[in-house]
Amino acid sequence: MDGCLSIHRMKKEEGESMSREVQTLKMEIQQIMKGNYQYFMQKEIFEQPESVINTMRGRVNFKDKEVILGGLQDHLSEIHRCRRLLFIACGTSYHSAIATRQLLEELTELPVVVELASDFLDRRTPIFRDDICFFISQSGETADTLNALRYCKKRGALTVGITNTVGSSISRETTCGVHINAGPEIGVASTKAYTSQFISLVMFGLVMNQDRISTRSRRNEIIEALENLPNLIKEVLEMDEDIKKLAEELYEQKSILLMGRGFNYATCLEGALKIKELTYLHSEGILAGELKHGPLALVDKAMPVIMIIMKDSMYTKCQNALHEVTARGCAPILICQKGDKESQSKASRVIELPGTVDCLQGILCVIPLQLLAFHTAVLRGYDVDCPRNLAKSVTVE
């Protein structure tokens, strides 16, 4: 009537405010431009040395070996008293929780449950008041994750959001949380958000472990590795041309298998997802320990296999899987640590990575797979930034 816009609701809960807080998003125009890159995804892969620094900035004190997550600070006493930790997510965010589950179990000494949000809701999983439920989403608007959040809130659990988007539904509706600060991610296939989610969960584990004297050396080892991580990521990104040559050998294949175990099982799942999303090839991440329970039937000399073997506690077991694969006439492509001559002797192609602490090796291992998926998609002539049938934010069930 007078030129003003009025918003009316049919339903309004008692005491609910109709006003909305205005939030100003501070962003430079360069952050949403391609710059010198041909694709947004390519730019985002190469931004990871900076994005991991931004995730840690103001939170990790490398000098005093301390970690502070301001968004969780007021609720830490309640989190310390919980009976279990649940991590609920979809897609790449789910893989970041799988990647850090082993470390979180080690540092918190609590049961850690990782759930796909859609399956979690289908089963109507029992939730208790002394559970802590984490909801991980790049956009903060993922429908299944948001519905799971509301389900857990109704049952009285403390809810924690881990998102990349200030003011998103998940960041507003959770009790507390952590913004991963990876910067805008425009490519549909998530890259830098995955590594920043990974680091955010590692930092949460370190916060939970802060007062334990018995694990101080392990904590210090991880914090020192976090400090050096951006330089190691830069070193891995320098292999871009070598990985492009590998993509030229693989882009006409029909299927690719990825195998690993321990900290790198999630890396195989995430690498396989990137290959599926971008190249439309069948790709499967396989837990190397399950090889003899079915997947070994797929292996022959014609099947491309990528194996991740790092010099950690799983090294001997991964060697056993490598012997099984080579005995079937397959010469796998190997992602391994520099100087691992024993493993390299059985491979057709080798990607040598710098070493770091076992729980962070997954960050370095996933980057060659991101680049491989990217180059393979370009060679196959597909739109890397907008794969068919997919959306950046899945806002419907």
Side-chain angles (χ1 to χ4, degrees):
M1 291 170 65
D2 56 359
C4 294
L5 175 68
S6 296
I7 299 172
H8 299 276
R9 284 190 188 174
M10 297 298 291
K11 294 179 181 178
K12 178 173 177 278
E13 293 181 14
E14 191 177 344
E16 186 181 358
S17 172
M18 290 298 291
S19 62
R20 288 284 180 269
E21 183 185 349
V22 176
Q23 292 184 320
T24 304
L25 300 180
K26 296 177 182 177
M27 188 184 297
E28 294 181 13
I29 192 71
Q30 289 90 343
Q31 290 182 286
I32 52 172
M33 301 288 283
K34 289 179 188 172
N36 297 324
Y37 297 97
Q38 194 174 354
Y39 299 95
F40 281 113
M41 181 187 173
Q42 184 183 22
K43 174 175 177 269
E44 286 151 13
I45 291 171
F46 280 86
E47 280 178 344
Q48 286 176 108
E50 290 75 40
S51 64
V52 299
I53 290 171
N54 291 336
T55 302
M56 294 187 283
R57 181 174 281 120
R59 294 166 168 171
V60 184
N61 183 331
F62 296 112
K63 184 180 177 184
D64 297 331
K65 302 285 191 293
E66 286 182 356
V67 181
I68 296 171
L69 294 175
L72 304 183
Q73 205 66 18
D74 293 341
H75 301 275
L76 276 180
S77 59
E78 189 175 347
I79 295 171
H80 277 292
R81 292 196 305 270
C82 74
R83 67 188 284 173
R84 62 174 179 168
L85 303 170
L86 286 94
F87 293 84
I88 300 161
C90 303
T92 288
S93 299
Y94 171 75
H95 295 157
S96 70
I98 292 282
T100 51
R101 175 173 57 186
Q102 183 178 338
L103 179 68
L104 290 168
E105 287 172 337
E106 177 190 342
L107 293 179
T108 65
E109 296 181 359
L110 288 167
V112 176
V113 180
V114 180
E115 295 275 5
L116 283 164
S118 55
D119 183 51
F120 173 83
L121 289 166
D122 290 346
R123 299 189 340 259
R124 302 195 65 79
T125 308
I127 294 294
F128 306 99
R129 293 179 68 86
D130 47 3
D131 287 336
I132 306 295
C133 300
F134 286 74
F135 300 90
I136 312 170
S137 168
Q138 190 280 138
S139 65
E141 303 292 345
T142 310
D144 284 321
T145 309
L146 201 48
N147 289 337
L149 160 58
R150 290 163 183 162
Y151 174 89
C152 294
K153 276 181 81 173
K154 279 183 185 176
R155 283 150 183 80
L158 179 74
T159 57
V160 183
I162 296 181
T163 78
N164 192 33
T165 311
V166 175
S168 62
S169 296
I170 287 177
S171 64
R172 289 199 313 270
E173 293 191 30
T174 45
T175 312
C176 56
V178 179
H179 284 293
I180 66 172
N181 299 331
E185 191 177 65
I186 294 164
V188 167
S190 184
T191 50
K192 64 178 182 177
Y194 173 78
T195 48
S196 288
Q197 286 169 348
F198 192 127
I199 287 171
S200 297
L201 293 171
V202 170
M203 289 192 297
F204 167 71
L206 292 170
V207 166
M208 290 288 285
N209 187 264
Q210 206 119 262
D211 299 328
R212 290 193 181 141
I213 296 170
S214 59
T215 54
R216 186 171 291 169
S217 61
R218 173 68 163 161
R219 278 174 44 75
N220 292 348
E221 180 188 28
I222 295 167
I223 292 170
E224 285 165 12
L226 284 171
E227 186 174 18
N228 195 36
L229 190 61
N231 295 327
L232 296 181
I233 292 173
K234 286 177 186 174
E235 194 177 327
V236 175
L237 289 169
E238 288 169 6
M239 302 175 187
D240 185 41
E241 281 303 314
D242 295 332
I243 294 164
K244 186 177 180 181
K245 289 173 186 172
L246 177 59
E248 288 166 0
E249 296 176 16
L250 292 175
Y251 80 99
E252 292 179 319
Q253 295 288 344
K254 301 292 184 191
S255 183
I256 300 173
L257 302 181
L258 293 89
M259 299 180 189
R261 67 187 296 169
F263 286 109
N264 275 304
Y265 171 51
T267 309
C268 295
L269 294 177
E270 176 60 13
L273 179 62
K274 288 292 152 283
I275 292 168
K276 277 183 272 201
E277 283 180 299
L278 299 174
T279 70
Y280 317 148
L281 285 171
H282 169 259
S283 183
E284 190 175 345
I286 295 169
L287 184 65
E290 289 292 298
L291 206 51
K292 291 180 182 176
H293 298 280
L296 196 56
L298 295 169
V299 176
D300 60 22
K301 62 182 179 182
M303 173 64 77
V305 174
I306 299 173
M307 295 195 76
I308 303 175
I309 301 181
M310 291 292 141
K311 288 201 167 179
D312 55 18
S313 60
M314 293 291 112
Y315 182 73
T316 304
K317 291 181 178 180
C318 286
Q319 285 292 331
N320 294 340
L322 179 59
H323 289 307
E324 293 291 342
V325 168
T326 53
R328 272 74 186 174
C330 176
I333 298 155
L334 202 64
I335 297 176
C336 67
Q337 227 158 295
K338 282 183 178 176
D340 183 4
K341 301 300 180 189
E342 183 183 351
S343 301
Q344 292 173 22
S345 62
K346 301 178 182 72
S348 60
R349 290 290 297 268
V350 174
I351 299 169
E352 287 189 276
L353 301 181
T356 186
V357 66
D358 54 3
C359 61
L360 297 180
Q361 196 73 56
I363 291 175
L364 301 182
C365 290
V366 82
I367 292 169
L369 298 176
Q370 292 173 348
L371 289 168
L372 179 64
F374 166 76
H375 287 302
T376 305
V378 171
L379 289 165
R380 288 168 69 89
Y382 299 138
D383 186 341
V384 175
D385 289 331
C386 298
R388 68 187 183 199
N389 308 333
L390 300 176
K392 181 64 180 167
S393 181
V394 184
T395 55
V396 293
E397 290 186 25

